[in-house]
Amino acid sequence: MTRAVITGVGVVSAFGVGTSALLDGLATGRCAVDHISSFDASEFPVRVAGEVLGAVVDGSWVREHSGLDVTSEHERGVFRDRKAAFALVAANEAWASAHAGESEKSAWLSIGLGLEQAFLPDFVGIFQEGRINWSADVDADLPHNRYRSAVNMAADTVADRLQLQGPIVVHASACAAGVLAVAHAASLVERGLADVVLCGAADSMVHPMGLGGFSRLGAPSPRHSSSACRPFDSRRDGLVIGEGAAMFVVESETRARRRGASVFAQIFGWGSTQDAYRATAPRPDGECAAQAMTQAMRHARIDPGDIDYINAHGTGTPLNDPAEVRAIRTAFGPHADDAPVSSIKGAIGHAMAASGALEIAACLLPFVHDLLPGTANHQRRDPDCDLDIIGETPRAAKAEIVLSNSFGFGGQNTSIVLGRPENVL
Amino acid sequence: MKVAVTGWAWRVPLGNVVDAAVNRLLAGERAAQKDARFPTGTYSCSLGAAIRGGPATGRGRRFLPRMARFAVEAALEALEQSGLSVSDRTGIYCGVGGIVPDWDEIMPALVEQRDDGADSWNRGLRGLHPFWMLKYLSNNALAQLANETGARGEGINFGGLDGGAQALCAATLALKTGAVDAAVVLAYDTRLQPEILAELGGSQAACTTDLGLLAAPYDTRANGFVPGEAAAALVLQAQPTRPAIAWVEAAVAVEHDRLFGAGFAKSVGKLVHRNEVIDGAALGTREIDRDEREALSGIVAEDTPLVATAAAMGHVGAASSLVQLIAMGACLRRRTLPVIAGMRTPASGPLCPVETTASTGVRAAVCLGTQRMRSVSAVRVEVP
């Protein structure tokens, strides 16, 4: 059977721009969560995030980090939606790292994206007597991309700039979108429906509307500290919002080797289920999340004992973390205590639709540096999260096969199994 | 790969019951009206095709926006029709045009904001409903449907104007590979939002005339499309447990150089067989209509019948593929081709725009959708 492999990687995260920034940050056990600086969040109940640093995100920022002349996109206001900028910069790095050229331009684009972003200041000029007077729009001096971004805008921007010729698929499955986008890519390659797929995800909720909505929801930790998110810690009290993008070039192993491309990881298998429980909480027993992991391992044709590391969804909320632990125990049975587990959300925040893709990128750390990522701010064990949780310090280990979980709002569960490049199953 | 349709349902501007709405379609009715969902005042695009009435209420659906509730209703109706027992092997595939905010609902959060964005929390965001964010999750219709049915198989949510077509493609692939045994495909979208009408009118992509001057697509006077809204759902099975209502195949391609270019030919060429009917993209400008027909003439016979269900329903965004599929499937089960609503004088060119509702021996249709200069979707529906 055709094996799908990752031959290009690009990342934008709270650690900075570039895959190396993410991996170096994780390798040194740092935490990139800090007070929000891209707008004044001082009055919000939530004031910290895994924010892409230094980010006045506009055409200049994109040009600085990609070398692309994006004057047209800047003038149309495309980068008012931060995730469009992150997606393009990450995609550009992935494309370059894959040494992709003309023969790869038939590529599909499979990308997970978050919610459309509303641009609050745009409404100010068209308010009349407490209501929005849309007719005043004709006189409003606003960029083309106004009021709210389109759900597919980031995808179209990436495809246009990289001159991709293949179909575009936008995955909008909340926190599961990133893994689903990569799994979709692997599926297309395995079945010979696509030669090359540029895949991944981008998202940002680090803007007033996003921060306001999450603040009202009560899911984030109320603490204004870089240690706000403590996955699996007994003192955990909520997530931290993050942002960023991770993009990958996926093609068949045969094709990669034929053109001399470097392989960063192999995609062995994936699984997808739904909780069918509640929009607001995961199934407490983790049963359907366990099934996603089991499906992924079955697809990969491996046993639970073959997994050397689990990258957890690990949001740091009171309910999610123990549910995931129960799911791991169900899926792994007697091997549940064998595979070390960690979550990177304490270090970079929960990047929503981009989180699964960023975590796939994080899973390259074992393959590149023989290090398993630590769990930032995890200092006190919780009896309800009784697994081999890696603490704040990354752990030296040679991992051949890793599994990464993404469990989205609404109960969408996805898991993906990756292998070291030279591993032969 | 063809898969069997064992249930279908919709909420569309011509009505919420498939048979009754198809009666109106065959009668040549069109749902376009002025001020379809709200007063359009001085908007240049003032026409719209809206769903009548509201969705059912229900405690479990209080986190769903209006169109998502319609979609869940339609999906449950399709499931009931199919008689399918939902299980761990049932997948849900959803296409969403975009997450459309209820501007009236969040008005308190907006009205005091400053144009420099300062102090946005105290100026209104603190008044957002605590669950406002849950209401606008991109995948909440999919999640709610899973909750109500107990479907625990694969679930994927697609965004964008071709979301429904993408969902259909994913479902057929999942059935083909055995990832699931049955699939519920749902899609929903509304183009009847103020900012969308403002954009469509400003770019002149949609019709900017009064209702009395609205012309049909493929007519010599074609003058733009009418934005609409819809929710639709199908139940698909690779091995149907009861006689299929229809069979479907789907494809999505991307255009790069021009609309109806190589990608379009590739998509449609893969699906079309002999002696079929085309339900066109019906964008309704003379130039685009002409280009579409000329592109089709390279793929199908020049006397192929050309219909336009969008002339009656409006352009319904992400729900287009499913709505067209159901409309044409239902018409062909009656061995009848629907008139293009509002057609007076067909523009000359290849293919034959249908001027009057007529009987037919054709059993399959290829339904085309293209809502923007990027994505072409083609869905083939075949009836017994």
Side-chain angles (χ1 to χ4, degrees), chain A residues 43 115-116 127 131 134-135 148 156 160 164-165 167-168 170 172-173 191 216 274 276-277 287 409 412, chain B residues 42-43 98-99 104 110 121 128 136 138-139 142 147 152-155 157 159 166 177 194-195 254 256 374:
Chain A
E43 295 294 318
L115 299 173
E116 294 100 310
F127 280 131
R131 298 195 63 80
W134 291 104
S135 297
R148 63 183 175 97
D156 287 354
D160 283 342
L164 303 182
Q165 304 289 314
I168 301 170
V170 173
S173 294
R191 293 182 173 90
R216 292 292 288 149
Q274 303 166 82
Y277 182 66
E287 179 186 338
F409 273 109
Q412 281 197 262
Chain B
T42 58
Y43 284 62
I99 305 305
D104 286 339
L110 303 181
W121 174 255
L128 288 170
Y136 295 102
S138 52
N139 64 337
L142 184 154
N147 295 350
R152 306 200 307 184
E154 183 174 77
N157 202 62
Q166 296 286 0
T177 59
E195 70 278 18
V254 179
H256 298 279
R374 277 223 80 90

Side-chain angles (χ1 to χ4, degrees), chain A residues 9 15 19-30 248 264-265 309 311 342 344 358-375 390 392-400 402 418 420-421:
Chain A
V9 185
F15 279 124
T19 306
S20 296
L22 173 70
L23 297 184
D24 290 347
L26 294 174
T28 52
R30 284 183 282 132
F248 310 93
F264 292 90
Y309 163 67
N311 182 280
S342 71
I344 68 168
L358 284 163
E359 285 151 18
I360 288 173
C363 285
L364 300 181
L365 189 68
F367 302 154
V368 174
H369 293 306
D370 289 338
L371 277 177
L372 307 181
T375 307
I390 302 172
E392 295 179 299
T393 303
R395 184 183 298 180
K398 188 171 175 67
E400 298 290 334
V402 305
L418 305 172
R420 187 179 281 267

Side-chain angles (χ1 to χ4, degrees), chain A residues 14-60:
Chain A
F15 279 124
V17 176
T19 306
S20 296
L22 173 70
L23 297 184
D24 290 347
L26 294 174
T28 52
R30 284 183 282 132
C31 177
V33 172
D34 206 340
H35 281 78
I36 293 168
S37 62
S38 55
F39 64 94
D40 182 8
S42 60
E43 295 294 318
F44 283 73
V46 175
R47 299 170 195 171
V48 297
E51 184 181 38
V52 175
L53 265 189
V56 173
V57 177
D58 58 10
S60 297

